[in-house]
Structures are given as C-alpha cells and as structure tokens.
Coordinates of all heavy atoms in Angstrom, one line a residue:
E1 N 124.1 90.3 100.9 CA 124.0 88.9 101.5 C 122.6 88.4 101.4 O 121.6 89.1 101.7 CB 124.4 89.0 102.9 CG 124.4 87.7 103.7 CD 124.8 87.9 105.1 OE1 125.6 88.7 105.4 OE2 124.1 87.1 105.9
R2 N 122.5 87.2 100.9 CA 121.2 86.7 100.7 C 121.2 85.2 101.2 O 122.0 84.4 100.9 CB 120.8 86.5 99.2 CG 119.5 86.0 98.9 CD 119.1 86.1 97.4 NE 120.2 85.6 96.6 CZ 120.1 85.5 95.2 NH1 118.9 85.8 94.7 NH2 121.1 85.0 94.6
P3 N 120.4 85.0 102.3 CA 120.3 83.7 102.9 C 119.8 82.6 101.9 O 119.1 83.0 101.0 CB 119.5 83.8 104.2 CG 118.7 85.1 103.9 CD 119.5 85.9 102.9
R4 N 120.0 81.4 102.3 CA 119.4 80.3 101.5 C 117.9 80.3 101.5 O 117.3 80.8 102.5 CB 119.8 78.9 102.1 CG 121.3 78.7 102.0 CD 121.6 77.3 102.5 NE 121.5 76.5 101.3 CZ 121.3 75.1 101.3 NH1 121.2 74.6 102.4 NH2 121.1 74.5 100.2
P5 N 117.3 80.1 100.4 CA 115.9 80.1 100.4 C 115.2 79.2 101.4 O 115.8 78.1 101.5 CB 115.5 79.7 98.9 CG 116.7 79.9 98.2 CD 117.9 79.7 99.0
P6 N 114.1 79.6 101.9 CA 113.5 78.6 102.9 C 113.0 77.4 102.3 O 112.5 77.3 101.1 CB 112.3 79.5 103.5 CG 112.0 80.5 102.4 CD 113.3 80.7 101.6
Q7 N 113.0 76.3 103.0 CA 112.6 75.0 102.6 C 111.2 74.8 103.2 O 111.1 74.5 104.4 CB 113.5 73.9 103.0 CG 114.9 74.0 102.4 CD 114.9 73.8 100.9 OE1 114.3 72.9 100.4 NE2 115.7 74.6 100.2
V8 N 110.2 75.0 102.4 CA 108.8 74.9 102.9 C 108.1 73.9 102.0 O 108.3 73.8 100.8 CB 108.1 76.3 102.9 CG1 108.8 77.2 103.9 CG2 108.0 76.9 101.6
K9 N 107.2 73.2 102.7 CA 106.3 72.3 101.9 C 105.0 73.2 101.5 O 104.4 73.8 102.2 CB 105.7 71.2 102.8 CG 106.9 70.2 103.1 CD 106.4 69.1 103.9 CE 107.5 68.2 104.2 NZ 107.1 66.9 104.9
V10 N 104.9 73.2 100.1 CA 103.8 74.0 99.6 C 102.8 73.1 98.9 O 103.2 72.0 98.4 CB 104.2 75.1 98.6 CG1 105.0 76.1 99.3 CG2 105.0 74.5 97.5
R11 N 101.5 73.4 98.9 CA 100.5 72.5 98.3 C 100.3 73.0 96.8 O 99.9 72.2 96.0 CB 99.1 72.8 99.0 CG 99.2 72.2 100.4 CD 97.9 72.3 101.0 NE 97.5 73.6 101.4 CZ 97.8 74.2 102.6 NH1 98.3 73.5 103.6 NH2 97.4 75.4 102.8
T12 N 100.6 74.2 96.5 CA 100.6 74.7 95.1 C 101.8 75.5 94.7 O 102.4 76.1 95.6 CB 99.3 75.5 94.9 OG1 99.3 76.6 95.7 CG2 98.0 74.8 95.1
E13 N 102.1 75.5 93.5 CA 103.2 76.4 93.0 C 102.6 77.8 93.0 O 101.5 78.0 92.7 CB 103.8 75.9 91.7 CG 104.4 74.6 91.8 CD 105.2 74.2 90.5 OE1 105.1 75.0 89.5 OE2 106.0 73.2 90.5
G14 N 103.5 78.7 93.1 CA 103.1 80.1 93.0 C 104.3 81.1 93.0 O 105.4 80.7 93.2
E15 N 103.9 82.3 92.6 CA 104.9 83.4 92.6 C 104.4 84.5 93.3 O 103.2 85.0 93.1 CB 105.3 83.7 91.1 CG 106.3 84.8 91.0 CD 106.7 85.0 89.5 OE1 107.1 84.1 88.9 OE2 106.6 86.1 89.1
I16 N 105.2 85.1 94.2 CA 104.8 86.4 94.9 C 105.7 87.4 94.4 O 107.0 87.2 94.5 CB 104.9 86.1 96.4 CG1 104.1 84.9 96.9 CG2 104.5 87.4 97.2 CD1 102.7 84.9 96.7
E17 N 105.2 88.5 94.0 CA 106.1 89.6 93.6 C 106.1 90.7 94.7 O 105.0 91.1 95.1 CB 105.7 90.2 92.3 CG 106.6 91.2 91.7 CD 106.4 91.5 90.3 OE1 105.8 90.7 89.5 OE2 106.8 92.7 89.8
L18 N 107.2 91.1 95.1 CA 107.4 92.0 96.2 C 108.1 93.3 95.8 O 109.1 93.2 95.1 CB 108.2 91.3 97.4 CG 107.7 90.0 97.9 CD1 108.7 89.3 98.8 CD2 106.4 90.2 98.6
T19 N 107.7 94.4 96.4 CA 108.4 95.7 96.2 C 109.0 95.8 97.7 O 108.3 95.7 98.7 CB 107.5 96.9 95.9 OG1 106.9 96.7 94.6 CG2 108.2 98.2 96.0
F20 N 110.3 96.3 97.7 CA 111.0 96.4 99.0 C 111.8 97.6 98.9 O 112.2 98.1 97.9 CB 111.8 95.1 99.3 CG 113.0 94.9 98.4 CD1 114.2 95.3 98.6 CD2 112.7 94.3 97.1 CE1 115.3 95.2 97.7 CE2 113.8 94.1 96.2 CZ 115.0 94.5 96.5
W21 N 112.0 98.1 100.2 CA 112.8 99.4 100.3 C 114.0 99.1 101.2 O 113.9 98.3 102.3 CB 112.0 100.5 101.1 CG 110.9 101.1 100.1 CD1 111.1 102.3 99.4 CD2 109.7 100.5 99.8 NE1 110.0 102.4 98.6 CE2 109.0 101.5 98.9 CE3 108.9 99.4 100.1 CZ2 107.8 101.3 98.4 CZ3 107.7 99.2 99.7 CH2 107.1 100.1 98.7
V22 N 115.2 99.6 100.9 CA 116.4 99.3 101.7 C 116.9 100.6 102.2 O 117.0 101.7 101.4 CB 117.5 98.7 100.7 CG1 118.7 98.4 101.4 CG2 117.0 97.4 100.0
S23 N 117.1 100.6 103.4 CA 117.7 101.8 104.2 C 119.2 102.1 103.7 O 119.8 101.1 103.3 CB 117.6 101.6 105.7 OG 118.2 100.6 106.2
P24 N 119.7 103.3 104.0 CA 121.1 103.5 103.5 C 122.1 102.6 104.3 O 123.1 102.3 103.7 CB 121.3 105.0 104.1 CG 119.9 105.6 104.0 CD 119.0 104.5 104.4
N25 N 121.7 102.0 105.4 CA 122.7 101.1 106.0 C 122.6 99.6 105.5 O 123.3 98.8 105.9 CB 122.5 101.1 107.5 CG 121.2 100.6 107.9 OD1 120.3 100.2 107.1 ND2 120.9 100.6 109.2
G26 N 121.7 99.4 104.4 CA 121.7 98.1 103.7 C 120.6 97.1 104.3 O 120.5 96.0 103.9
I27 N 119.8 97.5 105.3 CA 118.8 96.7 105.9 C 117.5 96.9 105.1 O 117.1 98.0 104.9 CB 118.7 97.0 107.4 CG1 120.0 96.6 108.1 CG2 117.5 96.2 108.0 CD1 119.9 96.9 109.5
V28 N 116.8 95.7 104.8 CA 115.5 95.8 104.1 C 114.5 96.4 105.3 O 114.3 95.8 106.3 CB 115.1 94.4 103.7 CG1 113.7 94.5 103.1 CG2 116.1 93.9 102.6
D29 N 114.0 97.5 104.9 CA 113.1 98.3 105.8 C 111.5 97.9 105.7 O 111.0 97.5 106.7 CB 113.3 99.7 105.5 CG 112.6 100.6 106.5 OD1 112.5 100.2 107.7 OD2 112.2 101.7 106.2
R30 N 111.1 97.9 104.5 CA 109.7 97.7 104.2 C 109.5 96.7 103.1 O 110.3 96.8 102.2 CB 108.9 99.0 103.8 CG 108.8 99.9 105.0 CD 108.1 101.2 104.6 NE 108.9 101.9 103.6 CZ 108.4 102.7 102.6 NH1 107.2 102.8 102.4 NH2 109.3 103.4 101.9
V31 N 108.5 95.9 103.1 CA 108.2 94.9 102.0 C 106.6 94.9 101.9 O 105.9 94.7 102.8 CB 108.7 93.5 102.4 CG1 108.4 92.6 101.2 CG2 110.2 93.5 102.7
I32 N 106.3 95.1 100.6 CA 104.8 95.0 100.2 C 104.6 94.1 99.0 O 105.3 94.2 98.0 CB 104.3 96.4 99.8 CG1 104.5 97.3 101.1 CG2 102.8 96.4 99.4 CD1 104.2 98.8 100.7
P33 N 103.8 93.1 99.2 CA 103.4 92.2 98.1 C 102.6 93.0 97.0 O 101.6 93.7 97.3 CB 102.6 91.1 98.6 CG 102.1 91.6 100.0 CD 103.0 92.7 100.4
I34 N 103.1 93.0 95.7 CA 102.4 93.6 94.7 C 101.6 92.6 93.7 O 100.6 93.0 93.0 CB 103.2 94.6 93.8 CG1 104.4 93.9 93.2 CG2 103.7 95.8 94.7 CD1 105.3 94.8 92.3
M35 N 102.2 91.5 93.7 CA 101.4 90.4 93.0 C 101.2 89.3 94.0 O 101.9 88.6 94.5 CB 102.3 89.7 91.9 CG 101.5 88.8 91.0 SD 102.4 88.3 89.5 CE 103.4 87.0 90.2
K36 N 99.9 89.3 94.5 CA 99.5 88.5 95.7 C 99.2 87.1 95.2 O 99.0 86.8 94.1 CB 98.3 89.1 96.3 CG 98.6 90.4 97.0 CD 97.4 90.9 97.8 CE 97.8 92.1 98.6 NZ 97.8 91.8 100.0
G37 N 99.2 86.2 96.2 CA 98.9 84.8 96.1 C 98.5 84.2 97.4 O 97.8 84.9 98.2
D38 N 98.8 83.1 97.7 CA 98.5 82.4 98.9 C 99.0 83.2 100.1 O 100.2 83.6 100.1 CB 99.1 81.0 98.9 CG 98.8 80.2 100.2 OD1 97.7 79.6 100.3 OD2 99.7 80.3 101.1
S39 N 98.2 83.4 101.1 CA 98.6 84.3 102.2 C 99.8 83.8 103.0 O 100.7 84.4 103.4 CB 97.5 84.6 103.2 OG 97.0 83.5 103.7
E40 N 99.9 82.4 103.1 CA 101.1 81.8 103.8 C 102.3 81.9 103.0 O 103.4 82.3 103.5 CB 100.7 80.3 104.0 CG 101.9 79.6 104.8 CD 102.1 80.0 106.2 OE1 101.2 80.8 106.8 OE2 103.1 79.7 106.8
L41 N 102.2 81.8 101.6 CA 103.4 82.1 100.8 C 104.0 83.5 100.8 O 105.1 83.8 100.8 CB 103.1 81.6 99.4 CG 102.8 80.2 99.1 CD1 102.7 79.9 97.7 CD2 103.9 79.3 99.7
E42 N 102.9 84.4 100.9 CA 103.3 85.8 101.1 C 104.0 86.1 102.3 O 105.1 86.8 102.3 CB 102.1 86.7 101.1 CG 101.4 86.9 99.7 CD 100.1 87.9 99.9 OE1 100.1 88.6 100.8 OE2 99.3 87.7 99.0
R43 N 103.6 85.6 103.4 CA 104.2 85.7 104.8 C 105.7 85.1 104.7 O 106.7 85.8 105.1 CB 103.4 85.0 105.8 CG 103.9 85.2 107.2 CD 103.2 84.4 108.2 NE 103.4 83.0 108.1 CZ 104.5 82.3 108.3 NH1 105.6 82.9 108.9 NH2 104.6 81.0 108.2
I44 N 105.8 83.9 104.1 CA 107.2 83.3 104.0 C 108.1 84.1 103.1 O 109.2 84.4 103.5 CB 107.0 81.9 103.5 CG1 106.3 81.0 104.6 CG2 108.4 81.3 103.1 CD1 105.8 79.7 104.0
A45 N 107.6 84.6 102.0 CA 108.4 85.4 101.1 C 108.8 86.8 101.7 O 110.0 87.2 101.6 CB 107.6 85.7 99.8
I46 N 107.9 87.4 102.5 CA 108.2 88.7 103.2 C 109.3 88.5 104.3 O 110.4 89.2 104.3 CB 107.0 89.3 103.7 CG1 106.1 89.8 102.5 CG2 107.4 90.4 104.7 CD1 104.7 90.3 103.0
Q47 N 109.1 87.3 105.0 CA 110.1 87.0 106.1 C 111.5 86.8 105.5 O 112.6 87.2 106.0 CB 109.7 85.9 106.9 CG 108.7 86.1 107.9 CD 108.2 84.9 108.7 OE1 108.4 83.7 108.3 NE2 107.8 85.1 109.9
Y48 N 111.5 86.0 104.4 CA 112.7 85.7 103.7 C 113.5 87.0 103.2 O 114.7 87.2 103.4 CB 112.5 84.7 102.5 CG 113.7 84.5 101.6 CD1 114.9 84.0 102.2 CD2 113.6 84.7 100.3 CE1 115.9 83.7 101.3 CE2 114.7 84.5 99.4 CZ 115.8 83.9 100.0 OH 116.9 83.7 99.1
L49 N 112.7 87.9 102.5 CA 113.3 89.1 102.0 C 113.8 90.0 103.0 O 114.9 90.7 102.9 CB 112.3 89.8 101.1 CG 112.9 90.9 100.3 CD1 114.0 90.6 99.4 CD2 111.8 91.6 99.4
R50 N 113.2 90.0 104.2 CA 113.6 90.9 105.3 C 115.0 90.4 105.9 O 115.7 91.3 106.6 CB 112.5 90.9 106.4 CG 111.4 91.8 106.1 CD 110.4 91.8 107.3 NE 109.3 92.6 107.0 CZ 109.2 93.9 107.2 NH1 110.2 94.5 107.8 NH2 108.1 94.5 106.9
Q51 N 115.4 89.2 105.6 CA 116.7 88.7 106.0 C 117.8 89.1 105.1 O 119.0 89.0 105.5 CB 116.7 87.2 106.1 CG 115.7 86.6 107.1 CD 115.6 85.1 107.1 OE1 116.6 84.4 106.6 NE2 114.5 84.6 107.4
W52 N 117.5 89.7 103.9 CA 118.5 90.0 103.0 C 119.2 91.2 103.5 O 118.7 92.1 104.3 CB 118.0 90.4 101.6 CG 117.4 89.2 100.9 CD1 117.0 88.0 101.4 CD2 117.4 89.2 99.5 NE1 116.6 87.3 100.3 CE2 116.8 87.9 99.1 CE3 117.6 90.0 98.5 CZ2 116.5 87.5 97.8 CZ3 117.3 89.6 97.2 CH2 116.8 88.4 96.8
R53 N 120.5 91.4 103.2 CA 121.4 92.5 103.6 C 122.1 93.0 102.3 O 122.6 92.2 101.6 CB 122.5 92.2 104.7 CG 121.8 91.8 106.0 CD 121.0 92.9 106.6 NE 120.4 92.6 107.9 CZ 119.1 92.2 108.0 NH1 118.3 92.3 106.9 NH2 118.5 91.9 109.1
F54 N 122.1 94.4 102.2 CA 122.7 94.9 101.0 C 124.0 95.8 101.5 O 124.0 96.1 102.7 CB 121.8 95.9 100.3 CG 120.6 95.1 99.6 CD1 119.5 94.7 100.3 CD2 120.7 94.7 98.3 CE1 118.5 94.0 99.8 CE2 119.8 94.1 97.7 CZ 118.6 93.7 98.4
A55 N 124.9 96.1 100.6 CA 126.0 96.9 101.0 C 125.5 98.3 101.4 O 124.6 98.9 100.7 CB 127.0 97.0 99.8
P56 N 126.0 98.8 102.5 CA 125.6 100.2 102.9 C 126.1 101.2 101.9 O 127.1 101.0 101.2 CB 126.3 100.4 104.2 CG 126.8 99.1 104.6 CD 126.9 98.2 103.4
L57 N 125.3 102.3 101.7 CA 125.8 103.3 100.8 C 127.0 104.0 101.4 O 127.2 104.2 102.6 CB 124.7 104.4 100.7 CG 123.4 104.0 100.0 CD1 122.4 105.2 100.1 CD2 123.7 103.8 98.6
P58 N 128.0 104.4 100.5 CA 129.2 105.0 100.9 C 128.8 106.4 101.5 O 127.8 107.0 101.2 CB 130.0 105.3 99.6 CG 129.4 104.3 98.7 CD 128.0 104.1 99.1
K59 N 129.6 106.8 102.5 CA 129.4 108.0 103.3 C 129.2 109.2 102.3 O 128.6 110.2 102.7 CB 130.4 108.3 104.3 CG 130.3 107.2 105.4 CD 129.1 107.2 106.1 CE 129.2 106.1 107.3 NZ 127.9 105.7 107.7
D60 N 130.1 109.2 101.2 CA 130.0 110.4 100.3 C 128.7 110.4 99.3 O 128.6 111.3 98.6 CB 131.3 110.5 99.5 CG 131.5 109.3 98.6 OD1 130.9 108.2 98.8 OD2 132.3 109.3 97.6
Q61 N 127.9 109.5 99.5 CA 126.7 109.4 98.6 C 125.5 109.9 99.5 O 125.5 109.9 100.7 CB 126.4 107.9 98.2 CG 127.4 107.2 97.5 CD 127.1 107.5 96.0 OE1 125.9 107.6 95.6 NE2 128.2 107.6 95.2
P62 N 124.5 110.4 98.8 CA 123.2 110.8 99.6 C 122.7 109.6 100.3 O 122.6 108.6 99.7 CB 122.3 111.4 98.5 CG 123.2 111.7 97.3 CD 124.3 110.7 97.4
Q63 N 122.4 109.8 101.5 CA 121.9 108.7 102.4 C 120.3 108.6 102.2 O 119.6 109.0 103.1 CB 122.3 108.9 103.8 CG 123.8 108.9 104.0 CD 124.5 107.6 103.7 OE1 124.1 106.5 104.3 NE2 125.3 107.5 102.7
V64 N 119.9 108.0 101.1 CA 118.5 107.9 100.8 C 118.1 106.5 100.7 O 118.8 105.6 100.4 CB 118.1 108.7 99.6 CG1 118.4 110.2 99.7 CG2 118.9 108.1 98.3
E65 N 116.8 106.2 101.0 CA 116.2 104.9 100.9 C 116.2 104.5 99.4 O 115.9 105.3 98.6 CB 114.9 105.0 101.5 CG 114.3 103.6 101.7 CD 112.9 103.8 102.4 OE1 112.0 104.4 101.9 OE2 112.8 103.1 103.5
Q66 N 116.5 103.3 99.1 CA 116.3 102.8 97.7 C 115.4 101.7 97.7 O 115.0 101.1 98.8 CB 117.7 102.3 97.2 CG 118.8 103.4 97.4 CD 120.0 103.2 96.5 OE1 120.0 102.4 95.7 NE2 121.0 104.0 96.8
W67 N 114.8 101.4 96.5 CA 113.7 100.3 96.4 C 113.9 99.5 95.2 O 114.7 99.8 94.4 CB 112.4 100.9 96.4 CG 112.1 101.8 95.2 CD1 112.5 103.1 95.0 CD2 111.5 101.4 94.0 NE1 112.1 103.5 93.7 CE2 111.5 102.4 93.1 CE3 110.9 100.1 93.6 CZ2 110.9 102.3 91.8 CZ3 110.4 100.0 92.3 CH2 110.4 101.1 91.4
G68 N 113.3 98.4 95.2 CA 113.3 97.4 94.1 C 112.1 96.4 94.1 O 111.3 96.5 95.1
T69 N 112.0 95.6 93.1 CA 111.0 94.7 92.9 C 111.6 93.3 92.7 O 112.4 93.3 91.8 CB 109.9 95.1 91.9 OG1 109.4 96.4 92.2 CG2 108.7 94.1 91.7
I70 N 111.0 92.3 93.2 CA 111.6 90.9 93.0 C 110.5 89.9 93.1 O 109.5 90.0 93.9 CB 112.7 90.7 94.0 CG1 113.5 89.3 93.6 CG2 112.2 90.6 95.5 CD1 114.6 89.2 94.4
P71 N 110.5 89.0 92.1 CA 109.6 87.8 92.3 C 110.2 86.7 93.1 O 111.4 86.4 93.0 CB 109.4 87.3 90.8 CG 110.7 87.7 90.2 CD 111.2 88.9 90.9
I72 N 109.4 86.1 93.9 CA 109.8 84.9 94.8 C 108.9 83.7 94.2 O 107.7 83.8 94.3 CB 109.7 85.1 96.2 CG1 110.4 86.4 96.8 CG2 110.1 83.9 97.0 CD1 111.8 86.4 96.8
K73 N 109.6 82.7 93.7 CA 108.9 81.5 93.2 C 108.8 80.4 94.1 O 109.9 80.1 94.7 CB 109.4 81.1 91.8 CG 109.3 82.2 90.8 CD 109.9 81.8 89.5 CE 109.8 82.9 88.4 NZ 110.4 82.6 87.2
F74 N 107.7 79.8 94.4 CA 107.6 78.5 95.1 C 107.2 77.4 94.1 O 106.3 77.5 93.4 CB 106.5 78.8 96.2 CG 106.8 79.8 97.2 CD1 106.5 81.1 97.1 CD2 107.4 79.4 98.4 CE1 106.8 82.0 98.0 CE2 107.8 80.3 99.3 CZ 107.5 81.7 99.1
K75 N 108.0 76.3 94.2 CA 107.8 75.1 93.4 C 107.5 73.9 94.2 O 108.1 73.8 95.4 CB 108.9 74.9 92.5 CG 109.2 76.1 91.5 CD 110.3 75.7 90.5 CE 110.4 76.8 89.6 NZ 111.4 76.5 88.5
L76 N 106.7 72.9 93.7 CA 106.4 71.7 94.3 C 107.7 70.9 94.2 O 108.3 70.9 93.2 CB 105.3 71.0 93.7 CG 104.0 71.7 94.0 CD1 102.9 70.9 93.1 CD2 103.5 71.7 95.4
Q77 N 108.0 70.2 95.2 CA 109.2 69.1 95.2 C 108.8 67.8 95.6 O 108.0 67.7 96.4 CB 110.4 69.7 95.9 CG 110.9 71.0 95.3 CD 112.3 71.3 96.0 OE1 112.7 70.7 96.9 NE2 112.8 72.4 95.5

C-alpha cells in the first residue's frame, strides 16, 4: 500500500534517494537518505516512505527484515 504523494510547495526541484528497511510484518522500520538534498525535502520524503505498507511475509518464510532503495522526486508545479 502506497499513499498518494504529498502535495508540497517546493522552491527547487530535487531528488532524494532513500534506503529503507521493512520488518516481517510489512511496516517500514528505518529510513536513511543516501543521496541528500534539501533538508526539508528529506524530512518530507522520509515521512512519506514511513507511511508505506508492504505485504507481511508468509509464516512459512524466514521472518527477517528486508531492505530496498528508492528515489523520491520533487518537481516544481
């Protein structure tokens, strides 16, 4: 489940790349920016990604944390 992207007014376009970890129950546990930019955009991108929900791991699978990397782009409108 991915909520609608936040509608924010930005002064400059930018891209924030985030590494995130998902717990076995599908909740985003940790988020770290790996390609930094404007600190306000980083904060917004991290808050947005923490709202995402993934399918929980099946009970017959090892219950381990998983991770990924994703870019979040901000554009002027």
Side-chain angles (χ1 to χ4, degrees):
E1 180 181 324
R2 181 174 49 176
R4 297 186 83 201
Q7 298 294 317
V8 296
K9 291 184 179 183
V10 295
R11 292 183 291 266
T12 60
E13 292 192 353
E15 179 175 305
I16 307 294
E17 191 166 335
L18 304 169
T19 296
F20 63 100
W21 287 263
V22 180
S23 63
N25 64 1
I27 294 174
V28 176
D29 187 32
R30 292 180 289 150
V31 182
I32 297 173
I34 56 173
M35 189 171 83
K36 295 187 169 248
D38 179 83
S39 61
E40 181 66 12
L41 296 183
E42 283 180 29
R43 185 187 64 74
I44 292 166
I46 289 169
Q47 284 182 332
Y48 172 58
L49 188 56
R50 285 184 182 267
Q51 295 174 28
W52 289 26
R53 296 295 177 259
F54 293 84
L57 290 174
K59 297 295 181 199
D60 62 340
Q61 296 274 326
Q63 299 295 300
V64 296
E65 190 174 60
Q66 303 200 14
W67 66 276
T69 302
I70 187 167
I72 306 283
K73 296 180 182 181
F74 292 90
K75 295 185 178 185
L76 294 173
Q77 292 191 359

